[in-house]
Amino acid sequence: MIDTIKEVCKETSIPYPLYESMIGKYFIGQTPFLPTNSNSLLVALVNPKDSKVNIFLNVATITALQAIGLVEFYLGSNLYGGTSSTLFSCTNTNFDTIPKGLIKYWEPAIIPNHATSIFTRYITNPGTEIVDGGQIILAPGKSFYIYISDSNHPLTYLSTRLAFGWWEERRECCNSKCC
């Protein structure tokens, strides 16, 4: 922001996610505590094919009430089915904006086909794992997947919750290419 009333101009720098929140385009959401007694779980931040926005993933968190073992992260095309979480909100409560992005989870879990594994983590203690997703942009029809598995132990009933923070920007098209 620039103050032009005075002779000296001042400029204030704010983080871009805060700016997106100020204009009602930053969202947070989470899964419920996921009811599973299986050895795996799949959760995704999904950008629907017809959304006409890019989703900029800022952060993902995994809260585990037990050690859960292997956590794999994928980028790929949207999967059919799954359950959509209703636990989301625009972070600026001056707006009633509904996000285009969806948080979905699958019971039983499936490994996403046609997706690229981008990194892996091991969660060996109860707690919250924070994943910086600031460089990940999801075009329409694409998803960011988190696949949790522990081949040695079933995940305890109501033991895991995942959350995401993201903003959305309308896609601009020029010269027959959208970005």
Side-chain angles (χ1 to χ4, degrees), residues 32-54:
F33 273 111
L34 294 170
T36 182
N37 280 316
S38 68
N39 292 40
S40 62
L41 182 61
L42 180 67
V43 176
L45 178 59
V46 175
N47 190 354
K49 193 171 191 167
D50 61 351
S51 72
K52 299 181 182 171
V53 299
N54 283 329

Side-chain angles (χ1 to χ4, degrees), residues 35-43 68 70 106-111 146-151 153-155:
T36 182
N37 280 316
S38 68
N39 292 40
S40 62
L41 182 61
L42 180 67
V43 176
I68 57 176
L70 181 68
W106 285 262
E107 287 280 352
I110 52 176
I111 296 176
I146 301 174
Y147 178 74
I148 300 171
S149 66
D150 184 346
S151 57
H153 305 93
L155 302 173

